[in-house]
Amino acid sequence: MATEDKNRATAAAILPLVGGAANVSSVVHCMTRLRLGLRDRSLVQDEALKAVPAVMGVVEDDTYQIVLGPGTVARVTPEFEKLVKEGQESAPAPDPAATPLTAEELAAQGAEMKAARKAKNATPFKLFLRKIANIFVPLIPALIGCGIIAGLNGLLVNLEWLPSVTPALAAMASGFMALIAVFVGYNTAKEFGGTPILGGAVAAIIVFPGVANIEAFGQKLSPGQGGVLGALGAAVLAVYVEKWCRRWVPEALDVLVTPTLTVLVSGLVTIFGLMYVAGEVSTAIGTFADWLLSNGGAGAGLVLGGFFLPLVMLGLHQALIPIHTTLIEQQGYTVLLPILAMAGAGQVGAAIAVYFRLPRNESIRRTIKSALPAGFLGVGEPLIYGVSLPLGRPFITACVGGAFGGAFVGFFNQLGDAVGSTAIGPSGWALFPLLDGNHGLGATIAIYAGGLVVGYLAGFVATYFFGFSKDLLAEFNVSQEPAASTTAATGPATAGAGPETPAKEPAGV
């Protein structure tokens, strides 16, 4: 089957299981997940959806998230959008003879759904982190591309190869980072309900070279001072100023007055306040990260590497992007990402241990074999949702593996060998082209590789010896083939019967 046909087939398999085109209100995707806004959550067939071959798992948040993995999600999403559009355009007109819901019934139904969703997901903290993630996630592809080019350029410069080409590569690698504040401002205004271009315009003040002639708090400003944090604050302020103007400025004057006041007021506050404050905060973040790893070392790495998997599971790891980006702006690389990447190594080691501990469970072993390549490349969600999390205890032992790997890298940071990444997004083996440090590329690669090995081994050992109780082994170390035969004989009506069926075939199998 052609790749395009395969992607369309996957989209076609997913659509009816989420309630059809009429039930889909929005479609977006991140690096690994198809994120759907749904009108009626009760129409989703979770177990059937998890059984779709390309689906690695599902996550219920403010949107319904279907884990497809990197690459796949970017190809399936356009096909899914086409099917949704076709389905909505071809939907039959409402039957006038049918009795419609009254306005009161519709309002009651909507209020009930909204209340249930809010009660589960919409805590203020989670909503805030979600907004921050939505601002920075669209920037990841550019950060990856520019980071790899920066690494390639650094290698060529060190080897003194292609001296006529390296300045061009430096421009390609640095251009986006020089203007990243503008993109952050644009996305921030869009996320907070303002006019995106006004957010970008206010944020552009931060990187304008002319600010070097301005003095605030007794100090000369410098272009880029405050970085992405300043851009974030400036754009949020611009949104509130704009909303105030929309409320009070007469409609006849709105097109002239509102954008002018938005840029003027927000710009003045940014220049004479936010740039200085955000610059101090950014400096404090860099100083704290250096202090943490210089003094905490192995202990800090243990905590960071051990607790990162739960953040990935909840989808909240994207909220760390502003911190990574600030460190890259200041130091040229983020020292946190290589340590956090050890969580994926622990997950891989745990999955390999599960593979050997459950020799009779063909279903789980197939899932592990298909998900391990992505796991080695740092994409942990397939293994999380397809293996360790449904099993329970192996998820904890995977965190143990990540903790040991993080401790290894953190220990060398404490000794003075900083290991960093020039971009964010990749992890696992995919992070090698982005590595940078303060003691040469060879030493940096060796330390990071050593951390991965420690994470693999610790995750494997912890899971193999402590990841299964006797009851868990008795329940899962059984062949799935008889169950499949029984399903075929009895028909689809009994395929999901019995409380143990979902547990023995984890999500994504």
Side-chain angles (χ1 to χ4, degrees), residues 304-464:
L304 292 171
F307 282 95
F308 189 60
L309 270 185
L311 287 180
V312 174
M313 181 193 72
L314 296 172
L316 299 178
H317 58 299
Q318 307 290 5
L320 296 172
I321 296 175
I323 297 175
H324 291 311
T325 308
T326 298
L327 292 174
I328 292 171
E329 282 186 316
Q330 288 184 340
Q331 304 173 358
Y333 51 80
T334 167
V335 292
L336 297 180
L337 186 58
I339 292 176
L340 299 176
M342 295 302 116
Q347 179 67 69
V348 167
I352 295 173
V354 171
Y355 184 88
F356 285 105
R357 288 290 272 163
L358 302 180
R360 298 177 182 173
N361 194 316
E362 298 86 356
S363 177
I364 291 180
R365 285 164 68 92
R366 278 197 303 269
T367 299
I368 294 172
K369 284 192 290 186
S370 65
L372 266 181
F376 279 114
L377 292 174
V379 181
E381 289 164 312
L383 291 174
I384 291 175
Y385 295 111
V387 181
S388 63
L389 191 59
L391 292 174
R393 194 181 290 187
F395 179 77
I396 299 174
T397 54
C399 294
V400 172
F404 275 85
F408 181 89
V409 178
F411 175 73
F412 280 93
N413 269 276
Q414 189 172 10
L415 295 180
D417 293 304
V419 178
S421 170
T422 58
I424 55 178
S427 184
W429 294 359
L431 197 62
F432 278 110
L434 298 170
L435 290 177
D436 196 3
N438 60 351
H439 282 132
L441 188 59
T444 301
I445 290 176
I447 294 171
Y448 180 72
L452 289 178
V453 172
V454 170
Y456 296 150
L457 291 175
F460 179 89
V461 171
T463 304
Y464 193 90

Side-chain angles (χ1 to χ4, degrees), residues 455-479:
Y456 296 150
L457 291 175
F460 179 89
V461 171
T463 304
Y464 193 90
F465 291 103
F466 306 105
F468 290 89
S469 64
K470 290 183 179 180
D471 292 339
L472 199 62
L473 273 177
E475 180 181 358
F476 284 96
N477 192 25
V478 293
S479 175

